[in-house]
Amino acid sequence: MRDSVCGSNAQARQDFRVYLVAHSMGGLICRCLLQNPEVASAEVRALVDKVFTYATPHNGIDVAGINVPQLLSLNDMDNFNRSTMGKYLKVPKDRVNTLGDSGFPPERLFCLIGTNSRDYAAAHGLSSFAVGSLSDGLVRIANAYVEGAPRAFVNRSHSGYFGIVNSEEGYQNMVRFLFGDTCATAQLEITALAFPPEVEAARKRGKNVESAYYIEATVAPRGAYTYELTARTQANQCAIRRGYEELFNADGSLRDDARAPVLFSVFLDSGKILAGSEIAFSVDLAVCNAGYQIDGALLLKHHIPAEYLFRNTLVLFAKPGSDGHWQLRYVWSDEHWAGGSKTAATPVADGTRIIGIRQHGAEVFAIPVRSDKGFAAELKISLAAWQ
């Protein structure tokens, strides 16, 4: 392709790069090209600029919770055994979802993850049944990404009429990752989680209280009516889950190593702005309890389904300022019109970074998140130019 496009033009040949787009096993083939020096030369690998994968089993395929056996060679199914994968990806078998020593930056490999197992009809539904929920019908959510790579979650199956490759969500993520100019990443740092009155009363009586929480985040750009860039929800069986003990100490103080979840990494395109001069996108953010246990017994009699500690839609407006720094404004649209007055997000001190993909020149902003139920958090938004 380089020879056909560039001919003998030395500068054009030097600048030539390609994007690779792959589905399922195709993503592993792309990684084999990038990671296995026996497959391609350093010159060839250097031509690859970005990789976008749909529903690729980056960490293998599990059936009934068991990794595909290495001896199962029928239809080359052993390609998804981690020991076999480690050989052709040139990584240890317990690190097959990494790029190893390839030198290819993980932030330039995007993983689109399907969350709908029900619509995968392959093998008359036997695959979906065997792999189970929390998957796209073939690849489990936990196995569908490369460590350190950006990812999006869409309610689509592995393939078929309702599959991930046919999806509008897949197309919109792909074109923004390949051709967009802005990357936005968010992390939620929870600082307070209050218990309901009856649970708090039991805690004060010396009862042992255990609880866990679902964190949901759905992102869509301005002008999107029929698609979302990413959706991590309970309904789609891919919400983020955190136990109380992962965030707080027994005395209620915040842990020094609290597991603050990364909610999303999305790519945006200022060239698609249809109104105003700012890139605008919405974040449906919700936090609810997954259940309380008091002295090991589930508290059911007071349980109200879908009782959220926090739920609101945040609309963000971002653009580079005249001074070269990013500007970020926001509106909580459940109480205010998105087209009305906006609040400036607070810049965070230089050196602060969000756990997740690495972006050169990223700037971080903080937005307070509060509810009358005693929930408190700080939403950190990282903005960076994307090339």
Side-chain angles (χ1 to χ4, degrees), residues 256-301:
D256 293 336
D257 59 348
R259 292 189 62 213
V262 176
L263 302 183
F264 59 81
S265 290
V266 295
F267 296 85
L268 304 159
D269 188 348
S270 62
K272 297 183 183 295
I273 295 175
L274 301 176
S277 60
E278 298 166 301
I279 297 174
F281 59 103
S282 65
V283 183
D284 288 340
L285 182 62
V287 179
C288 76
N289 178 260
Y292 297 99
Q293 290 189 27
I294 298 178
D295 284 348
L298 282 172
L299 183 70
L300 295 176
K301 61 182 179 180

mmCIF file of all heavy atoms in Angstrom, residues 256-301:
data_model
loop_
_atom_site.group_PDB
_atom_site.id
_atom_site.type_symbol
_atom_site.label_atom_id
_atom_site.label_comp_id
_atom_site.label_asym_id
_atom_site.label_seq_id
_atom_site.Cartn_x
_atom_site.Cartn_y
_atom_site.Cartn_z
ATOM 1 N N ASP A 256 -6.415 5.690 51.919
ATOM 2 C CA ASP A 256 -5.356 6.315 51.127
ATOM 3 C C ASP A 256 -5.251 5.693 49.746
ATOM 4 O O ASP A 256 -4.851 6.360 48.781
ATOM 5 C CB ASP A 256 -4.014 6.188 51.859
ATOM 6 C CG ASP A 256 -3.964 7.003 53.144
ATOM 7 O OD1 ASP A 256 -4.721 7.986 53.245
ATOM 8 O OD2 ASP A 256 -3.183 6.637 54.039
ATOM 9 N N ASP A 257 -5.603 4.405 49.641
ATOM 10 C CA ASP A 257 -5.523 3.696 48.359
ATOM 11 C C ASP A 257 -6.919 3.403 47.797
ATOM 12 O O ASP A 257 -7.145 2.368 47.165
ATOM 13 C CB ASP A 257 -4.745 2.395 48.513
ATOM 14 C CG ASP A 257 -5.370 1.453 49.550
ATOM 15 O OD1 ASP A 257 -6.266 1.909 50.308
ATOM 16 O OD2 ASP A 257 -4.978 0.272 49.597
ATOM 17 N N ALA A 258 -7.861 4.300 48.064
ATOM 18 C CA ALA A 258 -9.234 4.091 47.589
ATOM 19 C C ALA A 258 -9.257 3.872 46.079
ATOM 20 O O ALA A 258 -8.565 4.570 45.333
ATOM 21 C CB ALA A 258 -10.099 5.296 47.960
ATOM 22 N N ARG A 259 -10.040 2.903 45.628
ATOM 23 C CA ARG A 259 -10.098 2.535 44.208
ATOM 24 C C ARG A 259 -11.075 3.454 43.482
ATOM 25 O O ARG A 259 -12.239 3.108 43.262
ATOM 26 C CB ARG A 259 -10.494 1.075 44.046
ATOM 27 C CG ARG A 259 -9.455 0.087 44.538
ATOM 28 C CD ARG A 259 -9.846 -1.323 44.139
ATOM 29 N NE ARG A 259 -9.909 -1.447 42.685
ATOM 30 C CZ ARG A 259 -10.762 -2.247 42.051
ATOM 31 N NH1 ARG A 259 -11.646 -2.947 42.728
ATOM 32 N NH2 ARG A 259 -10.749 -2.321 40.727
ATOM 33 N N ALA A 260 -10.593 4.636 43.121
ATOM 34 C CA ALA A 260 -11.420 5.589 42.393
ATOM 35 C C ALA A 260 -11.588 5.113 40.954
ATOM 36 O O ALA A 260 -10.601 4.979 40.227
ATOM 37 C CB ALA A 260 -10.780 6.973 42.429
ATOM 38 N N PRO A 261 -12.812 4.841 40.503
ATOM 39 C CA PRO A 261 -12.990 4.255 39.161
ATOM 40 C C PRO A 261 -12.811 5.270 38.044
ATOM 41 O O PRO A 261 -13.197 6.432 38.160
ATOM 42 C CB PRO A 261 -14.436 3.748 39.199
ATOM 43 C CG PRO A 261 -15.117 4.654 40.177
ATOM 44 C CD PRO A 261 -14.086 4.973 41.226
ATOM 45 N N VAL A 262 -12.201 4.819 36.949
ATOM 46 C CA VAL A 262 -12.188 5.596 35.709
ATOM 47 C C VAL A 262 -13.510 5.324 35.008
ATOM 48 O O VAL A 262 -13.841 4.182 34.704
ATOM 49 C CB VAL A 262 -11.005 5.197 34.810
ATOM 50 C CG1 VAL A 262 -11.071 5.939 33.479
ATOM 51 C CG2 VAL A 262 -9.691 5.488 35.514
ATOM 52 N N LEU A 263 -14.290 6.366 34.772
ATOM 53 C CA LEU A 263 -15.626 6.200 34.208
ATOM 54 C C LEU A 263 -15.604 6.009 32.700
ATOM 55 O O LEU A 263 -16.365 5.220 32.150
ATOM 56 C CB LEU A 263 -16.498 7.408 34.560
ATOM 57 C CG LEU A 263 -16.671 7.718 36.051
ATOM 58 C CD1 LEU A 263 -17.615 8.888 36.223
ATOM 59 C CD2 LEU A 263 -17.175 6.500 36.800
ATOM 60 N N PHE A 264 -14.753 6.760 32.014
ATOM 61 C CA PHE A 264 -14.719 6.664 30.556
ATOM 62 C C PHE A 264 -13.490 7.358 30.004
ATOM 63 O O PHE A 264 -12.873 8.191 30.666
ATOM 64 C CB PHE A 264 -15.980 7.288 29.928
ATOM 65 C CG PHE A 264 -16.190 8.744 30.256
ATOM 66 C CD1 PHE A 264 -15.513 9.747 29.564
ATOM 67 C CD2 PHE A 264 -17.068 9.129 31.254
ATOM 68 C CE1 PHE A 264 -15.699 11.093 29.859
ATOM 69 C CE2 PHE A 264 -17.258 10.473 31.564
ATOM 70 C CZ PHE A 264 -16.579 11.447 30.864
ATOM 71 N N SER A 265 -13.150 6.989 28.777
ATOM 72 C CA SER A 265 -12.227 7.739 27.925
ATOM 73 C C SER A 265 -12.910 7.849 26.571
ATOM 74 O O SER A 265 -13.153 6.827 25.926
ATOM 75 C CB SER A 265 -10.876 7.033 27.782
ATOM 76 O OG SER A 265 -10.142 7.067 28.977
ATOM 77 N N VAL A 266 -13.264 9.050 26.174
ATOM 78 C CA VAL A 266 -13.944 9.235 24.891
ATOM 79 C C VAL A 266 -13.134 10.177 24.015
ATOM 80 O O VAL A 266 -12.409 11.051 24.507
ATOM 81 C CB VAL A 266 -15.378 9.786 25.070
ATOM 82 C CG1 VAL A 266 -16.252 8.785 25.788
ATOM 83 C CG2 VAL A 266 -15.371 11.119 25.798
ATOM 84 N N PHE A 267 -13.279 9.986 22.717
ATOM 85 C CA PHE A 267 -12.601 10.827 21.732
ATOM 86 C C PHE A 267 -13.651 11.666 21.018
ATOM 87 O O PHE A 267 -14.736 11.185 20.690
ATOM 88 C CB PHE A 267 -11.799 9.965 20.767
ATOM 89 C CG PHE A 267 -10.689 9.226 21.457
ATOM 90 C CD1 PHE A 267 -10.926 8.011 22.074
ATOM 91 C CD2 PHE A 267 -9.418 9.776 21.543
ATOM 92 C CE1 PHE A 267 -9.915 7.340 22.750
ATOM 93 C CE2 PHE A 267 -8.400 9.118 22.209
ATOM 94 C CZ PHE A 267 -8.653 7.902 22.814
ATOM 95 N N LEU A 268 -13.320 12.929 20.804
ATOM 96 C CA LEU A 268 -14.270 13.889 20.264
ATOM 97 C C LEU A 268 -13.639 14.630 19.097
ATOM 98 O O LEU A 268 -12.420 14.618 18.927
ATOM 99 C CB LEU A 268 -14.717 14.858 21.365
ATOM 100 C CG LEU A 268 -15.323 14.171 22.599
ATOM 101 C CD1 LEU A 268 -15.268 15.081 23.813
ATOM 102 C CD2 LEU A 268 -16.758 13.740 22.325
ATOM 103 N N ASP A 269 -14.479 15.295 18.313
ATOM 104 C CA ASP A 269 -14.021 15.936 17.083
ATOM 105 C C ASP A 269 -14.603 17.332 16.999
ATOM 106 O O ASP A 269 -15.816 17.493 16.841
ATOM 107 C CB ASP A 269 -14.458 15.098 15.880
ATOM 108 C CG ASP A 269 -13.849 15.582 14.570
ATOM 109 O OD1 ASP A 269 -13.276 16.685 14.554
ATOM 110 O OD2 ASP A 269 -13.952 14.857 13.570
ATOM 111 N N SER A 270 -13.745 18.347 17.133
ATOM 112 C CA SER A 270 -14.223 19.730 17.072
ATOM 113 C C SER A 270 -14.783 20.065 15.695
ATOM 114 O O SER A 270 -15.569 21.000 15.540
ATOM 115 C CB SER A 270 -13.101 20.708 17.430
ATOM 116 O OG SER A 270 -12.032 20.596 16.497
ATOM 117 N N GLY A 271 -14.400 19.277 14.694
ATOM 118 C CA GLY A 271 -14.928 19.495 13.354
ATOM 119 C C GLY A 271 -16.396 19.140 13.221
ATOM 120 O O GLY A 271 -17.038 19.494 12.230
ATOM 121 N N LYS A 272 -16.941 18.438 14.221
ATOM 122 C CA LYS A 272 -18.353 18.057 14.186
ATOM 123 C C LYS A 272 -19.232 19.015 14.980
ATOM 124 O O LYS A 272 -20.422 18.749 15.179
ATOM 125 C CB LYS A 272 -18.523 16.627 14.722
ATOM 126 C CG LYS A 272 -17.811 15.573 13.893
ATOM 127 C CD LYS A 272 -18.081 14.169 14.418
ATOM 128 C CE LYS A 272 -17.299 13.123 13.630
ATOM 129 N NZ LYS A 272 -17.736 13.059 12.233
ATOM 130 N N ILE A 273 -18.664 20.132 15.462
ATOM 131 C CA ILE A 273 -19.459 21.097 16.225
ATOM 132 C C ILE A 273 -20.504 21.728 15.316
ATOM 133 O O ILE A 273 -20.186 22.300 14.280
ATOM 134 C CB ILE A 273 -18.551 22.186 16.834
ATOM 135 C CG1 ILE A 273 -17.600 21.566 17.872
ATOM 136 C CG2 ILE A 273 -19.395 23.273 17.488
ATOM 137 C CD1 ILE A 273 -16.598 22.538 18.441
ATOM 138 N N LEU A 274 -21.760 21.616 15.709
ATOM 139 C CA LEU A 274 -22.855 22.180 14.926
ATOM 140 C C LEU A 274 -23.451 23.423 15.564
ATOM 141 O O LEU A 274 -24.226 24.142 14.936
ATOM 142 C CB LEU A 274 -23.965 21.125 14.743
ATOM 143 C CG LEU A 274 -23.543 19.836 14.039
ATOM 144 C CD1 LEU A 274 -24.699 18.847 14.005
ATOM 145 C CD2 LEU A 274 -23.053 20.134 12.626
ATOM 146 N N ALA A 275 -23.114 23.671 16.826
ATOM 147 C CA ALA A 275 -23.652 24.832 17.537
ATOM 148 C C ALA A 275 -22.581 25.379 18.470
ATOM 149 O O ALA A 275 -21.916 24.626 19.177
ATOM 150 C CB ALA A 275 -24.901 24.453 18.329
ATOM 151 N N GLY A 276 -22.411 26.704 18.482
ATOM 152 C CA GLY A 276 -21.424 27.320 19.355
ATOM 153 C C GLY A 276 -20.008 27.025 18.921
ATOM 154 O O GLY A 276 -19.751 26.600 17.790
ATOM 155 N N SER A 277 -19.064 27.234 19.845
ATOM 156 C CA SER A 277 -17.645 27.034 19.531
ATOM 157 C C SER A 277 -17.001 25.995 20.427
ATOM 158 O O SER A 277 -15.800 25.762 20.346
ATOM 159 C CB SER A 277 -16.899 28.369 19.690
ATOM 160 O OG SER A 277 -17.015 28.850 21.029
ATOM 161 N N GLU A 278 -17.784 25.353 21.295
ATOM 162 C CA GLU A 278 -17.240 24.400 22.244
ATOM 163 C C GLU A 278 -17.668 22.975 21.882
ATOM 164 O O GLU A 278 -18.747 22.739 21.345
ATOM 165 C CB GLU A 278 -17.747 24.721 23.657
ATOM 166 C CG GLU A 278 -17.306 26.085 24.164
ATOM 167 C CD GLU A 278 -18.098 26.508 25.394
ATOM 168 O OE1 GLU A 278 -19.334 26.605 25.296
ATOM 169 O OE2 GLU A 278 -17.482 26.740 26.445
ATOM 170 N N ILE A 279 -16.788 22.029 22.199
ATOM 171 C CA ILE A 279 -17.164 20.622 22.123
ATOM 172 C C ILE A 279 -18.062 20.329 23.317
ATOM 173 O O ILE A 279 -17.679 20.585 24.460
ATOM 174 C CB ILE A 279 -15.928 19.721 22.154
ATOM 175 C CG1 ILE A 279 -15.037 19.974 20.933
ATOM 176 C CG2 ILE A 279 -16.320 18.256 22.231
ATOM 177 C CD1 ILE A 279 -13.727 19.229 20.983
ATOM 178 N N ALA A 280 -19.248 19.827 23.066
ATOM 179 C CA ALA A 280 -20.186 19.553 24.144
ATOM 180 C C ALA A 280 -20.555 18.076 24.161
ATOM 181 O O ALA A 280 -20.775 17.467 23.112
ATOM 182 C CB ALA A 280 -21.443 20.406 23.994
ATOM 183 N N PHE A 281 -20.617 17.514 25.366
ATOM 184 C CA PHE A 281 -21.060 16.129 25.513
ATOM 185 C C PHE A 281 -21.683 15.948 26.884
ATOM 186 O O PHE A 281 -21.395 16.696 27.829
ATOM 187 C CB PHE A 281 -19.913 15.148 25.298
ATOM 188 C CG PHE A 281 -18.738 15.305 26.238
ATOM 189 C CD1 PHE A 281 -18.550 14.439 27.297
ATOM 190 C CD2 PHE A 281 -17.784 16.306 26.025
ATOM 191 C CE1 PHE A 281 -17.459 14.549 28.142
ATOM 192 C CE2 PHE A 281 -16.685 16.438 26.867
ATOM 193 C CZ PHE A 281 -16.526 15.566 27.930
ATOM 194 N N SER A 282 -22.590 14.979 26.981
ATOM 195 C CA SER A 282 -23.304 14.751 28.233
ATOM 196 C C SER A 282 -22.830 13.472 28.902
ATOM 197 O O SER A 282 -22.410 12.522 28.233
ATOM 198 C CB SER A 282 -24.815 14.659 27.987
ATOM 199 O OG SER A 282 -25.128 13.516 27.204
ATOM 200 N N VAL A 283 -22.926 13.472 30.227
ATOM 201 C CA VAL A 283 -22.565 12.305 31.028
ATOM 202 C C VAL A 283 -23.728 12.015 31.972
ATOM 203 O O VAL A 283 -23.999 12.803 32.883
ATOM 204 C CB VAL A 283 -21.281 12.548 31.845
ATOM 205 C CG1 VAL A 283 -20.905 11.284 32.610
ATOM 206 C CG2 VAL A 283 -20.138 13.005 30.953
ATOM 207 N N ASP A 284 -24.453 10.924 31.722
ATOM 208 C CA ASP A 284 -25.452 10.469 32.682
ATOM 209 C C ASP A 284 -24.709 9.727 33.786
ATOM 210 O O ASP A 284 -24.136 8.658 33.547
ATOM 211 C CB ASP A 284 -26.464 9.535 32.021
ATOM 212 C CG ASP A 284 -27.413 10.268 31.091
ATOM 213 O OD1 ASP A 284 -27.549 11.496 31.242
ATOM 214 O OD2 ASP A 284 -28.006 9.624 30.219
ATOM 215 N N LEU A 285 -24.733 10.287 34.985
ATOM 216 C CA LEU A 285 -23.962 9.740 36.102
ATOM 217 C C LEU A 285 -24.912 9.296 37.210
ATOM 218 O O LEU A 285 -25.815 10.048 37.590
ATOM 219 C CB LEU A 285 -22.993 10.802 36.633
ATOM 220 C CG LEU A 285 -22.070 10.406 37.780
ATOM 221 C CD1 LEU A 285 -21.144 9.271 37.373
ATOM 222 C CD2 LEU A 285 -21.248 11.614 38.237
ATOM 223 N N ALA A 286 -24.720 8.085 37.699
ATOM 224 C CA ALA A 286 -25.588 7.567 38.749
ATOM 225 C C ALA A 286 -24.805 6.640 39.666
ATOM 226 O O ALA A 286 -23.901 5.925 39.227
ATOM 227 C CB ALA A 286 -26.780 6.821 38.148
ATOM 228 N N VAL A 287 -25.169 6.664 40.950
ATOM 229 C CA VAL A 287 -24.574 5.773 41.942
ATOM 230 C C VAL A 287 -25.705 5.210 42.780
ATOM 231 O O VAL A 287 -26.525 5.967 43.319
ATOM 232 C CB VAL A 287 -23.566 6.513 42.854
ATOM 233 C CG1 VAL A 287 -22.981 5.558 43.887
ATOM 234 C CG2 VAL A 287 -22.460 7.157 42.027
ATOM 235 N N CYS A 288 -25.784 3.897 42.882
ATOM 236 C CA CYS A 288 -26.817 3.295 43.724
ATOM 237 C C CYS A 288 -26.218 2.144 44.507
ATOM 238 O O CYS A 288 -25.136 1.634 44.188
ATOM 239 C CB CYS A 288 -28.015 2.834 42.891
ATOM 240 S SG CYS A 288 -27.740 1.322 41.967
ATOM 241 N N ASN A 289 -26.947 1.730 45.547
ATOM 242 C CA ASN A 289 -26.460 0.654 46.395
ATOM 243 C C ASN A 289 -26.808 -0.700 45.793
ATOM 244 O O ASN A 289 -27.879 -0.887 45.224
ATOM 245 C CB ASN A 289 -27.075 0.787 47.789
ATOM 246 C CG ASN A 289 -26.648 -0.325 48.708
ATOM 247 O OD1 ASN A 289 -27.382 -1.268 48.917
ATOM 248 N ND2 ASN A 289 -25.432 -0.208 49.230
ATOM 249 N N ALA A 290 -25.867 -1.639 45.925
ATOM 250 C CA ALA A 290 -26.091 -2.987 45.406
ATOM 251 C C ALA A 290 -26.618 -3.926 46.476
ATOM 252 O O ALA A 290 -26.853 -5.096 46.209
ATOM 253 C CB ALA A 290 -24.775 -3.539 44.846
ATOM 254 N N GLY A 291 -26.816 -3.417 47.689
ATOM 255 C CA GLY A 291 -27.339 -4.236 48.777
ATOM 256 C C GLY A 291 -26.563 -4.026 50.062
ATOM 257 O O GLY A 291 -25.352 -3.778 50.042
ATOM 258 N N TYR A 292 -27.266 -4.101 51.173
ATOM 259 C CA TYR A 292 -26.649 -3.976 52.496
ATOM 260 C C TYR A 292 -26.740 -5.307 53.220
ATOM 261 O O TYR A 292 -27.747 -6.023 53.121
ATOM 262 C CB TYR A 292 -27.369 -2.912 53.334
ATOM 263 C CG TYR A 292 -27.306 -1.516 52.772
ATOM 264 C CD1 TYR A 292 -28.371 -0.996 52.048
ATOM 265 C CD2 TYR A 292 -26.179 -0.716 52.957
ATOM 266 C CE1 TYR A 292 -28.326 0.298 51.530
ATOM 267 C CE2 TYR A 292 -26.124 0.566 52.441
ATOM 268 C CZ TYR A 292 -27.194 1.063 51.727
ATOM 269 O OH TYR A 292 -27.138 2.328 51.209
ATOM 270 N N GLN A 293 -25.674 -5.636 53.952
ATOM 271 C CA GLN A 293 -25.698 -6.787 54.841
ATOM 272 C C GLN A 293 -25.399 -6.323 56.252
ATOM 273 O O GLN A 293 -24.459 -5.548 56.475
ATOM 274 C CB GLN A 293 -24.656 -7.826 54.417
ATOM 275 C CG GLN A 293 -24.979 -8.549 53.126
ATOM 276 C CD GLN A 293 -24.040 -9.706 52.867
ATOM 277 O OE1 GLN A 293 -23.492 -10.289 53.798
ATOM 278 N NE2 GLN A 293 -23.840 -10.038 51.609
ATOM 279 N N ILE A 294 -26.211 -6.790 57.173
ATOM 280 C CA ILE A 294 -26.013 -6.451 58.589
ATOM 281 C C ILE A 294 -25.747 -7.754 59.332
ATOM 282 O O ILE A 294 -26.596 -8.648 59.364
ATOM 283 C CB ILE A 294 -27.243 -5.732 59.168
ATOM 284 C CG1 ILE A 294 -27.460 -4.407 58.418
ATOM 285 C CG2 ILE A 294 -27.065 -5.482 60.658
ATOM 286 C CD1 ILE A 294 -28.679 -3.641 58.879
ATOM 287 N N ASP A 295 -24.542 -7.855 59.876
ATOM 288 C CA ASP A 295 -24.087 -9.100 60.511
ATOM 289 C C ASP A 295 -24.280 -10.286 59.575
ATOM 290 O O ASP A 295 -24.715 -11.371 59.983
ATOM 291 C CB ASP A 295 -24.833 -9.335 61.834
ATOM 292 C CG ASP A 295 -24.304 -8.442 62.952
ATOM 293 O OD1 ASP A 295 -23.236 -7.826 62.759
ATOM 294 O OD2 ASP A 295 -24.955 -8.354 64.005
ATOM 295 N N GLY A 296 -23.961 -10.080 58.300
ATOM 296 C CA GLY A 296 -23.991 -11.159 57.320
ATOM 297 C C GLY A 296 -25.345 -11.441 56.709
ATOM 298 O O GLY A 296 -25.440 -12.250 55.777
ATOM 299 N N ALA A 297 -26.401 -10.785 57.167
ATOM 300 C CA ALA A 297 -27.747 -11.032 56.625
ATOM 301 C C ALA A 297 -28.160 -9.876 55.722
ATOM 302 O O ALA A 297 -27.976 -8.695 56.078
ATOM 303 C CB ALA A 297 -28.754 -11.203 57.761
ATOM 304 N N LEU A 298 -28.715 -10.206 54.555
ATOM 305 C CA LEU A 298 -29.180 -9.170 53.640
ATOM 306 C C LEU A 298 -30.339 -8.390 54.247
ATOM 307 O O LEU A 298 -31.261 -8.971 54.822
ATOM 308 C CB LEU A 298 -29.625 -9.792 52.317
ATOM 309 C CG LEU A 298 -28.534 -10.198 51.332
ATOM 310 C CD1 LEU A 298 -29.145 -10.973 50.169
ATOM 311 C CD2 LEU A 298 -27.803 -8.970 50.814
ATOM 312 N N LEU A 299 -30.269 -7.068 54.101
ATOM 313 C CA LEU A 299 -31.355 -6.208 54.569
ATOM 314 C C LEU A 299 -32.349 -6.049 53.414
ATOM 315 O O LEU A 299 -32.157 -5.238 52.512
ATOM 316 C CB LEU A 299 -30.804 -4.842 54.989
ATOM 317 C CG LEU A 299 -31.837 -3.867 55.558
ATOM 318 C CD1 LEU A 299 -32.314 -4.330 56.919
ATOM 319 C CD2 LEU A 299 -31.241 -2.469 55.668
ATOM 320 N N LEU A 300 -33.408 -6.858 53.428
ATOM 321 C CA LEU A 300 -34.348 -6.865 52.317
ATOM 322 C C LEU A 300 -35.624 -6.090 52.601
ATOM 323 O O LEU A 300 -36.213 -5.505 51.695
ATOM 324 C CB LEU A 300 -34.706 -8.313 51.949
ATOM 325 C CG LEU A 300 -33.549 -9.166 51.412
ATOM 326 C CD1 LEU A 300 -34.012 -10.594 51.169
ATOM 327 C CD2 LEU A 300 -32.993 -8.563 50.127
ATOM 328 N N LYS A 301 -36.061 -6.070 53.835
ATOM 329 C CA LYS A 301 -37.381 -5.503 54.111
ATOM 330 C C LYS A 301 -37.438 -3.999 53.863
ATOM 331 O O LYS A 301 -38.505 -3.455 53.601
ATOM 332 C CB LYS A 301 -37.795 -5.810 55.553
ATOM 333 C CG LYS A 301 -36.875 -5.225 56.619
ATOM 334 C CD LYS A 301 -37.354 -5.628 58.007
ATOM 335 C CE LYS A 301 -36.432 -5.075 59.105
ATOM 336 N NZ LYS A 301 -36.902 -5.464 60.454
#
